[in-house]
Structures are given as C-alpha cells and as structure tokens.
Amino acid sequence: MGLMDRIHTNEMADAVKSKVRTGEYASESEVIRDGLRSLLIRDHSGESWLHQQVGPAYDALKADPARAVTAGQVRAYLAAEHAKIR
C-alpha cells in the first residue's frame, strides 16, 4: 500500500470514528452500511439516467442525425441562458 493509500485510509477511518464519536451513528458498522447504501443508490440512479434519458436521446439522434447541434450552438445557447439569469 502506497503512502497516499495509507493517508486516504487513515482519513476515512478517522471520519468513520468521528461519526460515531459525535453520536451521529451508534457504531462504525452503521456508518459503513449507510455509506454503502448511499453508494448503491448513486450507482442505481446513474444507471437509470443512462437507460431512461441517454439511451433514448442517442437512439433518436441515430434515427435522425439532422437533430444534432454543434458545439458552437450549444455554447451560444448556454451563454444566452446564462445572460438571462444575470
């Protein structure tokens, strides 16, 4: 294990212990379980986004390439939207 790995491991262990020490969690295993639960939720939401939004958008673009916009068009659109909120 390299130095950076040990530093990150120590920081994570300290964070887990701190959560228990402050009473936010009853045990270190509760902290780990909650962290893993959050990771699984994040992974699932990313997969859902890919399947529900990215996939259909890709399929629509493949079916009708004329729908594509250039990077310049995207920049112009974003600049106009940004100007609206200033």
Side-chain angles (χ1 to χ4, degrees):
M1 185 183 299
L3 176 60
M4 292 305 292
D5 293 330
R6 285 193 300 271
I7 290 170
H8 289 294
T9 301
N10 290 339
E11 289 172 356
M12 286 186 258
D14 290 345
V16 168
K17 290 174 183 171
S18 174
K19 296 283 186 184
V20 176
R21 189 173 44 255
T22 62
E24 199 172 337
Y25 290 88
S27 68
E28 292 177 3
S29 62
E30 272 189 26
V31 178
I32 301 301
R33 273 194 303 276
D34 195 37
L36 287 172
R37 193 176 303 115
S38 295
L39 178 63
L40 292 171
I41 290 168
R42 186 194 74 191
D43 288 350
H44 177 71
S45 66
E47 286 290 320
S48 293
W49 173 72
L50 283 171
H51 289 289
Q52 294 172 2
Q53 294 182 353
V54 175
Y58 173 80
D59 292 340
L61 187 57
K62 283 287 275 187
D64 182 11
R67 297 173 52 133
V69 294
T70 67
Q73 289 170 314
V74 172
R75 277 191 217 95
Y77 172 80
L78 292 175
E81 289 298 309
H82 184 70
K84 287 181 189 176
I85 60 174
R86 280 187 166 196

